[in-house]
Amino acid sequence: MDQGTLGKIAAILNAGSTNYSVFLKLYEVQLGSQIDSTAIVQMVLGTGAVLGGIEEVQSGSVWPEVMEAVLYVGDSSAGPSSTALKSGQFTSLVELLKAQVDTMVKTSATIETFWLSNGHPAYPVFWDFAFLFRTDATATIFIGASSD
């Protein structure tokens, strides 16, 4: 998964949107020793990031949650433009993101979802998700939110 794809998706969703702003970010760290998930989240997002909870998830639940968020339609007062959602470029980027998420899921030893009670790097209003993918040597946080 790469930040370039996420940045392009966010740019398309933000362009022409109404009272709607998307945040998609990827953080990767090398793990030198066994470290618990809470410590990883705080290492990556800062000590102000306070976990509200964290739990392991099945690999099959990751993409549906991401897809539901990214394809959020909104209503007449807030949301991405319908033109953006229907564009060929957006469709291609979502397909690329799906392939990247699938690769991340397949190569991870564990996958956890978490939520923050304080210190979120964005301001979730309409949707948000946060996943921690772990291998023996790395941890990757994929976090997204939309705000008004």
Side-chain angles (χ1 to χ4, degrees), residues 87-98:
S87 75
Q89 182 183 19
F90 180 71
T91 301
S92 294
L93 286 166
V94 169
E95 288 173 9
L96 177 59
L97 178 60
K98 181 182 186 316

Side-chain angles (χ1 to χ4, degrees), residues 103-132:
T103 298
M104 183 70 67
V105 164
K106 289 175 186 169
T107 59
S108 295
T110 61
I111 305 167
E112 295 169 297
T113 186
F114 65 91
W115 52 99
L116 300 169
S117 59
N118 195 21
H120 199 291
Y123 180 68
V125 173
F126 302 107
W127 55 261
D128 70 307
F129 60 80
F131 292 101
L132 173 59

Side-chain angles (χ1 to χ4, degrees), residues 24-124:
L24 295 168
K25 187 74 175 170
L26 187 69
Y27 303 90
E28 297 176 298
V29 294
Q30 298 297 313
L31 301 177
S33 62
Q34 291 294 337
I35 183 169
D36 73 4
S37 298
T38 300
I40 293 170
V41 171
Q42 290 182 331
M43 177 178 21
V44 170
L45 301 180
T47 56
V50 178
L51 277 176
I54 189 164
E55 58 190 39
E56 196 164 331
V57 295
Q58 297 297 316
S59 60
S61 67
V62 176
W63 179 248
E65 185 172 342
V66 171
M67 184 179 65
E68 181 180 344
V70 171
L71 298 180
Y72 172 83
V73 174
D75 59 32
S76 61
S77 64
S81 78
S82 61
T83 303
L85 291 173
K86 294 174 186 173
S87 75
Q89 182 183 19
F90 180 71
T91 301
S92 294
L93 286 166
V94 169
E95 288 173 9
L96 177 59
L97 178 60
K98 181 182 186 316
Q100 292 174 354
V101 168
D102 287 347
T103 298
M104 183 70 67
V105 164
K106 289 175 186 169
T107 59
S108 295
T110 61
I111 305 167
E112 295 169 297
T113 186
F114 65 91
W115 52 99
L116 300 169
S117 59
N118 195 21
H120 199 291
Y123 180 68

Side-chain angles (χ1 to χ4, degrees), residues 18-21 78 123-126 146-148:
T18 303
N19 201 30
Y20 185 73
S21 178
Y123 180 68
V125 173
F126 302 107
S146 66
S147 305
D148 58 0

Side-chain angles (χ1 to χ4, degrees), residues 131-143:
F131 292 101
L132 173 59
F133 300 92
R134 293 182 71 158
T135 68
D136 291 337
T138 62
T140 303
I141 290 178
F142 176 31
I143 188 167

